[in-house]
Amino acid sequence: MPTVYTIPPKTYFEIASLGYLLVLYLISFNDPNRKRFRSYKLFRALEINMLLALLVSVLTYVFAYPELGTPIFICTILRTMDSIMCVMASRVFAIYLLESVDSGKSLKVIGTVGNVIFAVYIGLMLLNLPLKFILWYTPEGVYMHGALFVPIVFMPPVYYLASGIVMLIIRMNLLGPRERVALSAASIITLLGTIVQALTDGKLLLSLPFGAVGIFVLYFSLETSDYHQLVTSNEKLIIAEQDAIKANRAKSDFLASMSHEIRTPLNAVLGMDELILGEIQPEAGITPETAAQIREYAVNIKDAGQILLSVINDILDLTKIESGKMEIKAAQYSLRTLTGDIDTLIRLKAEQKDLTYIQNIDPSIPDRLVGDELRIRQIMINLLNNAVKYTDSGEVRLEIESRELSEDSVELCISVKDTGIGIRSEDIPHIFGNFKRLDEEHNHRIEGTGLGLSIVKRMTEMMNGRVDVESEYGKGSVFTVRIPQTMDRKETEEGNGESRENAGRITSFSTPDCVYLVVDDNRLNLFVATRFMDELGGTTETAASGPEALQKMREKKYDMIFMDHMMPGMNGVETLKASLKDAENKNKDTPMLMITANALNGVKEEYLQYGFTDYLSKPLDINELKRTVLLHLPKGKVKVKG
Ligand code: ADP
């Protein structure tokens, strides 16, 4: 080494950059919060690459001089490594840029071209060692550049940086204002350094110092942990906002569909009523033709009313499920009785459409099970109603099998098969959504709300079961529900079947000596109840409020009392409680039946606890009324007809 040696001034920038990059390295590498960032690894790779490139470059421009005594071989290696490290650093820089703009497919293409360029570049640099056409030292120790030096050494970094910048420009609208400025500034500064160094044939060593400035800009604008935390919480906020918008939209859709579904049958009811009023001309009286016409309108009103009722029931059920208010109440029941009831109901509907209805219940399934009979019934009826609704010809089949789960529990496997219109495979994932009606072009004539299957799925899941669908479009569908049930091997003293048998003989009796009291604040409800009671014979009295009912109970002994639940002032439960405390009440042993619209939630036990004998659900069903009256009246009061 010469005695007076000064470090070449052109390396001053590089040495300074090395210093501040080391500081940056120390700050950023000791920050544990940064490890969670998506860009953490890439930025670290960028820092390390740039640091090594700067180190090799400083070593090269300080020591790669044969006149200093460095062997020519080492000088050549240093010059080669210096170039390779620069290219590597620019490549990682470009990958960082591309990842930041998230360019997906284009990233792959640019990346592949970049790999090819890098492989060719490395190949040429290796060939240069023996062939000496890019950079080399003469035997006298003079450093030389070939004509290909600038294109080969500077072309790859320029390609990498330029492709990064182009993608940045294309994707600019995907970035936030801070990303735009930081990424643009960092990449332009780095590219500028590289171009200046290339144009001055390496006399100004600005490529790496400018690259290091670019990294500095990136770190303090995009890579600090507080900025990342801000971005993460912003992303969470955006997701929460989208969820809120979705939930709000779902609620609006729900309300819109609900009001549509309710208004349709209601319109029919009002329209038919209007027609009836038009038919009845007081002066002309009612001719047999008008009577027939009125009857037809009344049947239509009944159909529309039933649809309305089922829509409201479905909505109530769903609301209860969603608000967590629906409970599964397990009690003993008879599977044969349940399927018998269902057979009667569905066979009638199937026959009206000329469909064959087949029930196949595996005889080895124990009859006495413990579970929520009401919900299982609802699930089966929903699926079977759909099967009948969506089938025009052929058959509907209910099959029940069981699989033993343990000594005292089985899994009921209930399949409902039809030969109907089927469901498109792409629609299957959506059929269990609320208000989801599919294939509208085929289904628009079929009544439905799109709530039935949603209820089936949720109820099944509440009972720890699951529901599966298989369907072939145009050929038919199979819905399979699997629910675990406990087996009840004990014989019950008061057989369920027996009371049902009694209740089954509903049409052929009358109660001419009975006096009934119906309590309801609603005039129309009193009217309907009194008309229904007329069919039983006997006398029916009414009370329009709790206090009026209490007064009547003091005056007379009734055979049965029907009490509405929701009444202003004193409700049905309060009236019952007051009557039990009232010393003058003559009806303390009289069967008292609750009439309630709140019948969907399995509230029977609750009413029985208050002291009611039984309950009937609103709107009143004449057969249900007769069945209940028969069940609770003393035998002597019932006269069997015929
Ligand atoms: P809906 O009241 O419309 O019948 P559901 O929730 O019961 O509502 O059913 C949702 C949709 O699933 C229906 O609109 C219909 O497109 C389809 N679907 C249900 N059951 C069947 C079936 N057995 N065959 C064909 N399609 C069915």
Side-chain angles (χ1 to χ4, degrees), residues 371-436:
D372 194 328
E373 180 188 4
L374 198 69
R375 303 298 163 211
I376 294 176
R377 178 190 295 257
Q378 211 172 336
I379 289 171
M380 289 194 210
I381 290 179
N382 269 355
L383 293 179
L384 285 163
N385 274 344
N386 274 354
V388 173
K389 242 183 357 182
Y390 297 107
T391 305
D392 290 328
S393 63
E395 61 175 47
V396 168
R397 195 181 268 270
L398 169 69
E399 282 176 1
I400 308 185
E401 290 169 355
S402 75
R403 186 169 68 89
E404 206 166 300
L405 291 178
S406 69
E407 209 173 293
D408 62 350
S409 68
V410 284
E411 181 183 72
L412 279 189
C413 174
I414 304 163
S415 323
V416 173
K417 302 182 182 173
D418 65 56
T419 53
I421 60 171
I423 307 162
R424 290 194 181 105
S425 53
E426 66 269 25
D427 286 341
I428 288 186
H430 309 292
I431 54 173
F432 293 104
N434 295 349
F435 282 116
K436 274 278 181 281

Side-chain angles (χ1 to χ4, degrees), residues 339-355:
T339 47
D341 288 355
I342 288 178
D343 187 286
T344 319
L345 191 81
I346 301 297
R347 190 171 298 283
L348 197 73
K349 291 190 179 181
E351 278 166 7
Q352 280 166 359
K353 283 187 79 179
D354 280 336
L355 301 174

Side-chain angles (χ1 to χ4, degrees), residues 445-589:
R445 282 175 300 106
I446 306 174
E447 289 292 347
T449 55
L451 286 179
L453 286 181
S454 168
I455 293 174
V456 165
K457 183 169 162 54
R458 285 157 186 245
M459 279 186 182
T460 309
E461 284 168 359
M462 284 174 76
M463 290 189 274
N464 302 321
R466 67 190 167 91
V467 47
D468 297 301
V469 197
E470 277 172 43
S471 185
E472 203 175 328
Y473 192 53
K475 296 221 164 131
S477 317
V478 185
F479 285 80
T480 311
V481 173
R482 293 186 173 81
I483 312 174
Q485 297 283 275
T486 315
M487 283 185 278
D488 188 6
R489 298 186 193 277
K490 284 178 281 163
E491 280 303 315
T492 48
E493 289 150 32
E494 164 207 345
N496 215 356
E498 196 190 317
S499 59
R500 277 170 180 278
E501 244 170 60
N502 273 342
R505 299 191 303 257
I506 49 172
T507 44
S508 47
F509 74 93
S510 68
T511 59
D513 307 328
C514 287
V515 187
Y516 299 108
L517 175 65
V518 184
V519 189
D520 199 316
D521 62 303
N522 183 300
R523 190 180 56 86
L524 269 179
N525 284 348
L526 279 182
F527 176 79
V528 172
T530 318
R531 286 287 157 276
F532 280 7
M533 304 306 295
D534 286 350
E535 290 215 9
L536 296 174
T539 324
T540 306
E541 293 184 11
T542 59
S545 68
E548 192 186 337
L550 289 176
Q551 186 55 38
K552 292 207 156 181
M553 283 189 238
R554 287 178 177 186
E555 290 163 10
K556 194 184 279 180
K557 163 96 180 117
Y558 294 97
D559 292 287
M560 198 170 273
I561 300 172
F562 298 89
M563 182 75 69
D564 179 35
H565 187 172
M566 296 297 181
M567 290 187 289
M570 191 181 245
N571 71 28
V573 176
E574 287 161 353
T575 313
L576 168 84
K577 284 183 181 161
S579 77
L580 293 177
K581 283 187 204 143
D582 184 358
E584 291 171 53
N585 175 14
K586 295 183 176 146
N587 292 277
K588 287 198 176 155
D589 327 319

Side-chain angles (χ1 to χ4, degrees), residues 62-332:
V62 172
F63 295 113
Y65 299 103
E67 62 267 32
L68 297 180
T70 314
I72 288 183
F73 163 69
I74 300 286
C75 292
T76 314
I77 294 293
L78 275 173
R79 295 271 175 191
T80 310
M81 282 308 293
D82 175 43
S83 168
I84 291 177
M85 291 307 299
C86 264
V87 172
M88 291 258 287
S90 62
R91 178 147 174 68
V92 180
F93 194 94
I95 293 176
Y96 178 88
L97 276 185
L98 293 172
E99 286 274 346
S100 307
V101 295
D102 200 16
S103 47
K105 220 174 155 191
S106 349
L107 181 70
K108 272 195 190 145
V109 178
I110 295 171
T112 317
V113 176
N115 286 343
V116 173
I117 290 179
F118 191 68
V120 172
Y121 163 78
I122 294 286
L124 290 173
M125 288 310 276
L126 290 178
L127 276 179
N128 169 65
L129 294 178
L131 300 181
K132 302 185 174 172
F133 61 100
I134 304 173
L135 55 89
W136 69 93
Y137 283 83
T138 61
E140 296 75 39
V142 181
Y143 177 54
M144 302 290 288
H145 282 175
L148 290 176
F149 176 82
V150 172
I152 291 177
V153 170
F154 288 98
M155 206 273 279
V158 170
Y159 166 79
Y160 295 141
L161 293 169
S163 58
I165 291 174
V166 169
M167 283 313 296
L168 192 64
I169 294 168
I170 295 175
R171 304 279 166 148
M172 199 59 104
N173 57 343
L174 294 181
L175 301 172
R178 186 193 279 237
E179 274 100 354
R180 281 183 201 174
V181 175
L183 291 171
S184 312
S187 47
I188 290 169
I189 292 170
T190 312
L191 185 64
L192 202 69
T194 311
I195 291 173
V196 170
Q197 187 163 333
L199 291 180
T200 58
D201 200 16
K203 291 199 174 58
L204 277 177
L205 293 184
L206 287 186
S207 133
L208 292 175
F210 275 34
V213 171
I215 290 184
F216 227 67
V217 170
L218 288 181
Y219 179 76
F220 284 107
S221 53
L222 302 181
E223 293 293 336
T224 55
S225 52
D226 47 1
Y227 177 67
H228 267 272
Q229 264 152 21
L230 189 73
V231 171
T232 318
S233 18
N234 272 352
E235 278 167 5
K236 280 186 192 154
L237 275 180
I238 291 170
I239 293 172
E241 190 193 0
Q242 282 167 349
D243 284 351
I245 292 172
K246 258 193 237 160
N248 196 26
R249 197 172 302 140
K251 195 191 78 190
S252 308
D253 289 352
F254 183 86
L255 283 177
S257 317
M258 193 170 85
S259 52
H260 169 80
E261 296 306 329
I262 292 176
R263 288 168 83 100
T264 312
L266 205 56
N267 270 341
V269 171
L270 294 177
M272 290 292 142
D273 192 48
E274 199 61 43
L275 290 173
I276 290 177
L277 292 174
E279 287 288 338
I280 301 170
Q281 306 291 345
E283 56 295 348
I286 294 180
T287 61
E289 294 82 55
T290 3
Q293 194 58 273
I294 290 174
R295 197 186 141 69
E296 195 189 324
Y297 296 148
V299 168
N300 290 343
I301 290 181
K302 190 176 172 195
D303 289 349
Q306 260 157 4
I307 291 172
L308 191 58
L309 184 64
S310 72
V311 171
I312 291 171
N313 283 349
D314 279 356
I315 291 170
L316 281 179
D317 274 353
L318 204 69
T319 324
K320 276 181 182 145
I321 293 174
E322 288 198 337
S323 60
K325 285 195 183 132
M326 181 171 283
E327 286 170 38
I328 295 299
K329 294 202 169 150
Q332 188 210 66

